[in-house]
Amino acid sequence: MALYISREVLDQVLARARGDHPIETCGIVASAAQSNVASRIVPMRNQAASETFFSFDSREQFQVFRELIERGEVCRVIYHSHTASEAYPGREDVAHAGDPDAHYLVVSTWDQARIPLRGFRLIRGHIIEENIVVRDE
């Protein structure tokens, strides 16, 4: 499995993570329903405003997903950052992963991170790392 994402969007996700540090950043990346390339970032507010946890505001999430339907898009990626640990899903991330079709992108803004960006599928409690394929689109 692989996560296909546009270079521009990936750069925007990284910039948001750095800009929101030390609070975890979060949001989604959408794509046209017929495309497998994540191509439009939709930053969302971390309702928890936490350095160690993120949560979407349910009203904002509802509005975002309604907009996706109206635009003929789907949620391709759910992203968030870790501010003091490696870019790897934590227990809470796995427990709250509700979409087995989504890719999960974890960005580490921790200065000691060995790998600052990793992609995963989180399916029924299992963590499956996947390649990130960056497209110049």
Side-chain angles (χ1 to χ4, degrees), residues 5-135:
I5 190 166
S6 80
R7 181 173 308 283
E8 180 181 344
V9 165
L10 190 57
D11 290 346
Q12 290 173 10
V13 169
L14 292 168
R16 291 221 33 117
R18 290 183 201 110
D20 289 348
H21 185 87
I23 301 300
E24 284 196 10
T25 198
C26 62
I28 68 162
V29 183
S31 75
Q34 67 276 10
S35 174
N36 67 344
V37 179
S39 57
R40 185 174 73 87
I41 185 174
V42 184
M44 296 173 68
R45 184 174 67 87
N46 179 351
Q47 183 177 15
S50 171
E51 297 178 14
T52 59
F53 181 75
F54 83 96
S55 65
F56 294 141
D57 175 89
S58 60
R59 282 189 238 169
E60 180 184 26
Q61 186 176 5
F62 178 77
Q63 289 173 337
V64 165
F65 279 80
R66 185 173 54 196
E67 179 185 312
L68 292 180
I69 292 167
E70 290 169 1
R71 293 174 60 114
E73 295 177 327
V74 295
C75 173
R76 217 32 96 202
V77 177
I78 298 170
Y79 73 85
H80 75 282
S81 63
H82 285 182
T83 61
S85 64
E86 296 289 345
Y88 192 83
R91 231 176 312 142
E92 293 286 328
D93 300 331
V94 175
H96 290 98
D99 186 351
D101 295 324
H103 301 270
Y104 291 83
L105 188 63
V106 183
V107 177
S108 179
T109 57
W110 184 42
D111 61 1
Q112 297 173 37
R114 290 170 292 156
I115 303 171
L117 174 74
R118 294 168 78 182
F120 303 91
R121 295 299 287 269
L122 304 178
I123 302 171
R124 294 184 300 280
H126 297 283
I127 300 170
I128 304 162
E129 187 161 6
E130 61 185 354
N131 293 325
I132 299 172
V133 179
V134 180
R135 296 284 170 93

